[in-house]
Amino acid sequence: MLVAAGDPVAAMKAMRSARRRRYVARTDVMEVLYRVYLGALAAVFVLAFLAGALHEVPADPSSVEGIRGDAPAIIGIAVAVLVLAGLRAGARGGPLAIEAAEVRYTLLAPVSRRTALRPAALAQLRTAVIFGVVFGAVVGNFVFRRFPGSALEWIGALAAFGALVPVAVLGGALVASGRRLRPPVAGAIGLALVVWSAFDLALGWSSSPATMLGDVATLPLQHGASAWLAALGAVLALALLAAGLFSLGGLGLEAAQRRAQLVAEMRFSASVQDLRTVILLRRQLASEHPRRKPWVRLPGAVTARRHPASTPHSTAAESVPPDPDRRSARLSSLQSPRPGPDDGRSGTAAVPQSPPPGPDDGRSATVTVPPPGGRPVVVHPIWRRDWQSFLRWPTVRVVRVVLIAVAAGGLAVGGFDLTPVLFALPGPLLFVAALDLIEPLAQESDHPTRRLLLPRRSSELLRSHLIAPVVAMAVVLALATIAAAGIGGDPGLALGVGAAVFLPLAVVLVCAAAVSATNDPYEFALNPQLSQAFTIAPIAVALIAGFLPLFVAWKIEGGNSARISGVLGIDFVLVVLAFVGIGGLALRFNKREREAQ
């Protein structure tokens, strides 16, 4: 019996409406309202505190002129970097995060893929635009106090800028996904936009579309041609979004299926506050794999000596055949079997008692003799293991950490030049970099049974694993300091503040990342409020640790010496936070070790 099919588009809409009704029916409305109430209350409290603590004075004419001339290009570089990230995500099947069932059934149904995917794209765009508008309006509420222009002009301009940035980023990602651009092509296009914006900064132009969006952010200061360029930048961003929506139908099914499965796992992990799993899944989503060969190969760590066997015709010989992998060569030299009595070949044994070759083969053997004790010696194994991890970072991770350092320095300068509200952003940004740097310790935490087999206590292992990330984090903070000195107009203050806090701040950020990466999401499964507190606390500590030195340097009046002296007083707070973090990590690891015994 054949049944005539109805309108497939209407059937798809009816199915989605039914699913939405079931989802709403299962949702605890009071719980959602309670979370919204807590979030709104916290936002109002923070804004009220900042409004009372910040007594901003109007900027001098030279600062206003500098913002008018250089800020659009600097903001344009940041926008271009975000568009580059969107293009790379689109080339890997993003940015839409649809469910696996939608990929299997809806996208294979006799329905236009553009029609099927448009609601998901518009929903993602709506969320991003709302967040951008709110953030831009909040920043504009503080910026207008220092620069010419009314509150309405600044709030409107920055809210429009906050809405246009996700429009441009999502549009670029949709174009790359719909046109199925290869990752190298998408990366080359985004990099060209970044270089174009950098040329605008160097030459004082406003030719790049990203720089035109920067003109939107500073629209109350612009006049004449710059105002028209801001309008042109908004039109180009909207045109890019339209092109992305038009090319939705070209989404690849294989890439969409893979992304849907990973995103579903990420959502579940995020729902239980398992940040470590979210990080690992995000790396899979970005196809971020370690390098097969390190950037720099560390010198060998096994100390052993070789000597020829005592035969009448002994000569030097190689202990193992040439091996392209140095590590495999070391393992084969220690574990290769002894030569058989009838093969007539020389061999390498891990013990000096191996029999020498027979007198009839005319060749000699080389015996690897370990140091006293019978074990190969590795100098500073944990330090070496951590740096081996860093030296195998893929290019995209290295670039991301460097960009985070530059962005943190730029936001610090923006806090001095625009509004101190921007001081709240460098800490969370650097916390993201610290999560990458703490990877060796996180891997030890991922394998607790293997860790218990080591002849060291877990707390000692923990402290040893913190040294290399702290050194690497100090390098990242040094890059942020150099970037702030190069971008801002007072390099002496930037270098002084950075030198005053870079070491304790590095320890605090690494400890915060270690607490977050080694957190057990099911430890407080029966107490979700406590679990959420343990999830949010490391991010809040990173925010406070990055905010306090910059705010004190901005708040203190006087010369650079007085400001740097005030920042030195913050070191005590950072040291206390660092000791609390190290102590908390030691207690956590010792507790897990006792429970496992």
Side-chain angles (χ1 to χ4, degrees):
M1 178 179 178
L2 297 177
V3 179
D7 185 5
V9 177
M12 179 188 67
K13 292 181 179 179
M15 179 188 66
R16 288 177 173 173
S17 299
R19 294 181 61 191
R20 191 179 303 110
R21 286 194 300 268
R22 286 196 296 268
Y23 176 79
V24 172
R26 296 174 183 175
T27 302
D28 188 351
V29 179
M30 297 304 299
E31 178 68 19
V32 173
L33 292 177
Y34 177 69
R35 292 183 179 181
V36 172
Y37 165 75
L38 290 182
L41 187 63
V44 170
F45 174 77
V46 171
L47 292 177
F49 170 77
L50 291 176
L54 303 179
H55 301 285
E56 303 184 21
V57 296
D60 56 89
S62 61
S63 298
V64 173
E65 192 61 31
I67 294 297
R68 179 186 291 114
D70 297 335
I74 295 175
I75 296 173
I77 294 176
V79 173
V81 171
L82 293 177
V83 173
L84 169 60
L87 288 170
R88 294 188 68 254
R92 295 190 304 268
L96 300 182
I98 56 180
E99 298 180 1
E102 291 277 353
V103 179
R104 278 195 298 268
Y105 301 111
T106 306
L107 298 186
L108 292 177
V111 180
S112 171
R113 291 184 186 176
R114 188 188 310 166
T115 304
L117 294 173
R118 188 182 298 115
L122 294 178
Q124 189 167 340
L125 175 66
R126 180 174 60 250
T127 303
V129 167
I130 290 175
F131 177 80
V133 168
V134 172
F135 181 76
V138 170
V139 174
N141 181 52
F142 291 95
V143 169
F144 86 91
R145 307 169 192 269
R146 297 198 61 195
F147 295 96
S150 64
L152 182 60
E153 291 175 344
W154 278 106
I155 293 175
L158 287 174
F161 172 75
L164 289 172
V165 169
V167 165
V169 174
L170 185 62
L174 291 177
V175 169
S177 175
R179 299 299 179 182
R180 301 190 185 185
L181 298 181
R182 298 179 62 84
V185 176
I189 295 174
L191 185 60
L193 183 60
V194 174
V195 173
W196 190 359
S197 301
F199 272 112
D200 281 350
L201 177 61
L203 302 177
W205 294 351
S206 294
S207 59
S208 167
T211 307
M212 296 177 188
L213 288 180
D215 288 325
V216 175
T218 59
L219 190 58
L221 299 180
Q222 306 299 336
H223 52 80
S226 297
W228 288 105
L229 289 175
L232 179 59
V235 171
L236 291 176
L238 293 174
L240 183 61
L241 176 63
L245 293 175
F246 182 78
S247 59
L248 272 175
L251 177 67
L253 291 180
E254 295 82 3
Q257 179 71 18
R258 175 180 177 273
R259 185 177 181 86
Q261 293 175 351
L262 292 175
V263 169
E265 296 177 10
M266 288 179 63
R267 286 173 175 170
F268 174 77
S269 301
S271 65
V272 296
Q273 288 90 40
D274 190 357
L275 183 60
R276 171 63 180 165
T277 304
V278 171
I279 293 173
L280 295 178
L281 291 172
R282 191 208 62 81
R283 290 175 182 169
Q284 294 184 34
L285 193 62
S287 301
E288 191 174 306
H289 305 295
R291 292 171 56 89
R292 296 185 61 184
K293 295 183 179 180
W295 294 97
V296 178
R297 188 175 292 276
L298 298 177
V302 178
T303 59
R305 60 186 181 88
R306 296 182 299 177
H307 64 85
S310 56
T311 59
H313 305 286
S314 63
T315 57
E318 292 182 357
S319 62
V320 292
D323 195 316
D325 189 350
R326 190 175 302 177
R327 183 179 179 186
S328 300
R330 290 202 303 268
L331 292 176
S332 62
S333 68
L334 293 174
Q335 299 175 359
S336 59
R338 300 176 183 178
D342 57 348
D343 59 1
R345 294 178 298 170
S346 64
T348 300
V351 291
Q353 292 82 7
S354 96
D360 56 340
D361 58 8
R363 286 180 289 179
S364 63
T366 300
V367 180
T368 301
V369 181
R375 293 181 180 179
V377 177
V378 181
V379 181
H380 304 298
I382 298 178
W383 168 269
R384 177 184 174 85
R385 180 258 182 275
D386 293 347
W387 282 104
Q388 283 178 334
S389 174
F390 300 153
L391 293 175
R392 289 187 181 271
W393 276 13
T395 305
V396 62
R397 193 179 304 176
V398 175
V399 173
R400 181 174 65 244
V401 171
V402 172
L403 288 178
I404 285 176
V406 174
L411 288 170
V413 174
F416 281 94
D417 293 342
L418 297 175
T419 174
V421 177
L422 298 178
F423 291 153
L425 299 180
L429 270 180
L430 294 170
F431 176 76
V432 174
L435 288 174
D436 285 328
L437 294 172
I438 206 65
E439 178 66 20
L441 176 61
Q443 291 182 5
E444 294 288 354
S445 179
D446 292 342
H447 303 85
T449 56
R450 185 179 65 183
R451 185 178 72 248
L452 295 176
L453 298 176
L454 299 177
R456 301 186 65 175
R457 290 182 59 84
S458 296
S459 57
E460 298 176 0
L461 189 69
L462 158 74
R463 288 191 291 268
S464 300
H465 266 300
L466 291 177
I467 298 175
V470 167
V471 174
M473 193 70 224
V475 174
V476 174
L477 292 175
L479 292 176
T481 302
I482 295 173
I487 297 173
D490 193 349
L493 178 62
L495 295 175
V497 172
V501 300
F502 83 101
L503 186 57
L505 182 57
V507 178
V508 171
L509 291 172
V510 168
C511 288
V515 170
S516 182
T518 61
N519 185 36
D520 184 3
Y522 304 103
E523 185 176 3
F524 304 102
L526 301 179
N527 193 342
Q529 288 78 14
L530 190 59
S531 178
Q532 291 177 3
F534 272 90
T535 302
I536 298 174
I539 304 175
V541 168
L543 188 151
I544 294 172
F547 178 84
L548 283 180
L550 299 173
F551 181 75
V552 170
W554 173 84
K555 189 70 174 178
I556 294 178
E557 298 180 358
N560 290 347
S561 59
R563 293 183 173 185
I564 295 172
S565 300
V567 172
L568 286 172
I570 302 298
D571 285 350
F572 175 76
V573 179
L574 298 179
V575 169
V576 171
L577 292 176
F579 274 106
V580 170
I582 295 174
L585 287 169
L587 291 175
R588 171 181 290 178
F589 275 75
N590 288 334
K591 177 184 176 182
R592 294 176 181 176
E593 183 176 357
R594 289 193 302 269
E595 292 174 349
Q597 290 176 352

